[in-house]
């Protein structure tokens, strides 16, 4: 009678160790990414308001251009982890190389679009006449770094699939430091202004990509994996990533709709919304770290033909997601008197943000389940279901959010719609998780 509980506890401890070993470094790497933009903003901000405004527009365009291709990391992680579980490291790294070649092709295509259309894109985002030249300069130079950013995404997916999240953390920290040093030297030392900031970031990004390529190429040579592009493999990587692209675009649409609705509510509401959205994004990093661990762990179990291990790991990670969500929610509630004054001294904005902030806090356990199951299903290669579920979520959220200005309730009602959105996501993901249809074993799905 005592052996089963002891075995269960041992299994849980094993899962806990795996989750912590993968999630903690992943969290550090995730947090390091937005620090690039913060460092650029701090340095460029001293050049003038127009330069900072131009940087803001260009950064928003670049972030959008890169974030929609985050599937390069997600799909690669799942595919590589499956082959690791199957014990075929050569095929795992070969799959990773296909993802990197796909990143290069997409990056070249994006450059071809952005370079000639930079002025039009800047104008589309509503840049002022004074900020537009700076935004165009920054966007054109920074576009040269887009292939590097996409290579970093794909290579990060390779290493995560190999159960290695420490190397991405080290590369991210080194890249952040190099970016800061280069920006200061080129903006002020070389007196290149905002162009210097763009060149500094591009050099840092390509430096990070080079480090990743060295690591992956060494692994390929060690295990006898080919480095040359394989058309069939690249096509397979693109097909695996396509549903995740739909998922990501649907999520971006939800966030854009929320911001557009907040803008219609008034200046205080949009200001409060931006503060809350910043916090919501920060909280997402902690939960996304567990999701990344889920992608790697689930893919490995399924590749090893261990459906029982995959289900047990899924259950444990859901427990982690709920627990971390509860902790984050409590932290938000307890820190709100300190948090809001960091962003604004306007009492109207504070009063508008407070009830919506509490709603965000209460929804964190729901977010925990959503992020974890998102990672589990990505690790299982269940992209088509994730795409369909997100389209359903968008269909529910859009009318609910667009009715807020008409029905009233202000920003609190809008974040009620955001909570509804996360609840719908949770229900669709729980339905899939409990069905067991995601449990498809083998080196490939």
């Amino acid at each position: 009678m005592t052996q089963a509980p002891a075995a269960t506890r041992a299994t849980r401890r094993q899962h806990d160790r795996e989750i912590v070993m993968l999630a903690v470094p992943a969290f550090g790497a995730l947090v390091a990414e937005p620090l690039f933009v913060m460092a650029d903003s701090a340095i460029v901000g001293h050049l003038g308001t127009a330069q900072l405004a131009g940087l803001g527009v260009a950064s928003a365009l670049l972030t959008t251009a890169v974030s929609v291709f985050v599937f390069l990391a997600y799909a690669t992680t799942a595919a590589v982890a499956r082959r690791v579980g199957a014990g075929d490291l050569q095929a795992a790294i070969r799959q990773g190389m296909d993802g990197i070649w796909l990143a290069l092709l997409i990056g070249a295509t994006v450059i071809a679009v952005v370079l000639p259309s930079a002025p039009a894109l800047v104008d589309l985002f509503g840049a002022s006449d004074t900020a537009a030249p700076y935004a165009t300069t920054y966007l054109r130079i920074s576009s040269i770094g887009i292939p590097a950013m996409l290579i970093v995404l794909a290579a990060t997916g390779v290493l995560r699939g190999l159960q290695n999240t420490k190397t991405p953390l080290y590369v991210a920290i080194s890249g952040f430091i190099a970016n800061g040093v280069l920006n200061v030297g080129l903006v002020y030392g070389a007196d290149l202004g905002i162009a210097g900031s763009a060149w500094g970031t591009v050099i840092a990004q390509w430096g990070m990509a080079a480090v990743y390529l060295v690591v992956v190429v060494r692994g390929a040579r060690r295990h006898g994996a080919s480095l040359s592009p394989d058309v069939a493999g690249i096509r397979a990587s693109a097909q695996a990533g396509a549903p995740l692209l739909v998922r990501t675009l649907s999520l971006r649409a939800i966030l854009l709709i929320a911001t557009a609705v907040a803008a219609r509510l008034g200046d205080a509401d949009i200001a409060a919304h931006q503060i809350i959205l910043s916090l919501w994004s920060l909280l997402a990093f902690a939960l996304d770290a567990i999701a990344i661990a889920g992608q790697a762990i689930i893919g490995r179990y399924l590749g090893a033909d261990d459906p029982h291990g995959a289900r047990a790991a899924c259950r444990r990670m859901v427990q982690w997601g709920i627990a971390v969500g509860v902790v984050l929610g409590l932290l938000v509630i307890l820190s709100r008197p300190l948090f809001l004054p960091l962003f604004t001294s306007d009492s109207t904005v504070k009063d508008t943000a407070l009830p919506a902030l509490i709603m965000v806090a209460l929804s964190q356990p729901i977010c925990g389940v959503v992020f974890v199951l998102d990672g589990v299903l990505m690790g299982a290669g269940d992209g088509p279901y994730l795409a369909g579920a997100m389209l359903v979520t968008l269909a529910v959220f859009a009318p609910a959010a667009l009715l807020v200005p008409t029905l009233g309730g202000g920003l609190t009602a809008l974040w009620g719609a955001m909570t509804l959105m996360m609840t719908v996501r949770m229900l669709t993901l729980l339905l899939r998780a409990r069905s067991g249809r995601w449990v498809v074993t083998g080196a490939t799905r």
Side-chain angles (χ1 to χ4, degrees):
M1 295 294 292
T2 60
Q3 289 182 346
T8 300
R9 288 195 297 271
T11 301
R12 286 180 177 177
R13 285 196 296 270
Q14 177 188 347
H15 289 151
D16 290 345
R17 285 194 298 270
E18 289 182 329
I19 293 168
V20 171
M21 287 177 61
L22 292 171
V24 173
F27 174 70
L30 288 169
V31 171
E33 291 173 10
L35 293 180
F36 269 81
V37 177
M38 290 179 62
D40 288 359
S41 299
I43 294 167
V44 172
H46 292 285
L47 294 174
T49 301
Q51 288 90 332
L52 184 58
L55 173 66
V57 172
S59 295
L61 285 163
L62 287 166
T63 301
T64 301
V66 174
S67 64
V68 297
F69 299 115
V70 73
F71 70 82
L72 289 166
Y74 294 159
T76 304
T77 297
V80 171
R82 274 185 176 269
R83 287 160 177 79
V84 169
D88 192 347
L89 288 177
Q90 182 186 72
I93 296 174
R94 174 65 261 181
Q95 180 68 40
M97 286 304 306
D98 292 335
I100 291 173
W101 280 110
L102 177 61
L104 272 171
L105 290 173
I106 294 174
T109 302
V110 174
I111 287 181
V113 172
V114 171
L115 273 176
S117 62
L121 290 171
V122 167
D123 183 61
L124 182 65
F125 263 59
S128 67
D129 291 340
T130 54
Y134 297 111
T136 301
T137 297
Y138 191 94
L139 182 59
R140 278 181 166 157
I141 296 172
S142 294
S143 67
I144 300 171
I146 288 176
M149 289 187 275
L150 298 184
I151 290 172
V152 167
L153 283 177
T156 299
V158 176
L159 294 180
R160 289 172 180 171
L162 294 171
Q163 317 296 296
N164 176 3
T165 57
K166 289 184 179 179
T167 298
L169 172 61
Y170 300 148
V171 175
I173 293 173
S174 301
F176 169 70
I177 294 171
N179 179 65
V181 172
L182 286 166
N183 268 256
V184 171
L186 294 174
V187 171
Y188 298 112
D191 197 26
L192 294 179
I194 195 169
S197 177
W199 281 117
T201 301
V202 166
I203 294 170
Q205 288 163 346
W206 275 108
M208 292 170 65
V211 172
Y212 274 118
L213 288 174
V214 168
V215 172
V216 174
V217 168
R218 283 179 178 174
R221 288 176 174 169
R222 187 181 309 120
H223 296 285
S226 173
L227 297 175
S228 60
D230 177 68
V231 175
I234 294 172
R235 186 185 301 115
S237 294
Q239 289 172 345
L244 296 180
L245 176 61
V246 173
R247 168 201 167 275
T248 301
L249 290 173
S250 300
L251 181 58
R252 297 293 298 183
I254 287 170
L255 297 178
L256 287 172
I257 290 171
T259 300
V261 170
R264 291 177 60 188
L265 296 175
D267 290 346
D269 294 88
I270 185 61
H273 176 73
Q274 290 302 317
I275 293 171
I276 295 171
L277 190 60
S278 298
L279 175 63
W280 194 72
S281 300
L282 179 62
L283 297 173
F285 286 133
L287 298 172
D288 203 24
I290 305 174
I292 288 169
Q295 294 170 30
I297 293 170
I298 294 298
R300 192 189 73 232
Y301 274 117
L302 294 177
D305 289 319
D306 187 358
H308 175 75
R311 290 190 181 95
C314 175
R315 286 193 296 270
R316 191 56 178 165
M317 280 183 282
V318 169
Q319 293 169 358
W320 268 81
I322 294 171
V324 173
V326 169
V327 171
L328 292 176
L330 290 173
L331 287 175
V332 171
I333 291 174
L334 293 175
S335 65
R336 68 188 188 280
L338 301 174
F339 173 75
L340 289 174
L342 290 175
F343 289 87
T344 182
S345 58
D346 189 322
S347 59
T348 303
V349 174
K350 290 180 184 177
D351 292 341
T352 302
L354 185 58
L357 195 62
I358 293 174
M359 185 164 291
V360 169
L362 294 175
S363 69
Q364 286 310 295
I366 296 174
C367 294
V369 175
V370 168
F371 275 83
V372 166
L373 290 180
D374 216 31
V376 166
L377 297 184
M378 284 183 189
D382 205 14
Y385 182 84
L386 289 172
M390 189 60 78
L391 288 172
V392 169
T393 302
L394 174 59
V396 173
F397 170 78
L402 294 172
L403 284 172
V404 167
T406 302
L407 299 180
L411 191 66
T412 304
L414 176 59
W415 276 93
M418 289 287 284
T419 302
L420 171 65
M421 178 269 293
M422 294 303 292
T423 302
V424 172
R425 287 185 70 188
M426 182 182 70
L427 293 175
T428 58
L429 295 175
L430 281 172
L431 182 66
R432 187 64 166 183
R434 290 179 177 176
S435 74
R437 293 178 182 173
W438 57 277
V439 184
V440 179
T441 59
T444 59
R445 183 179 171 88

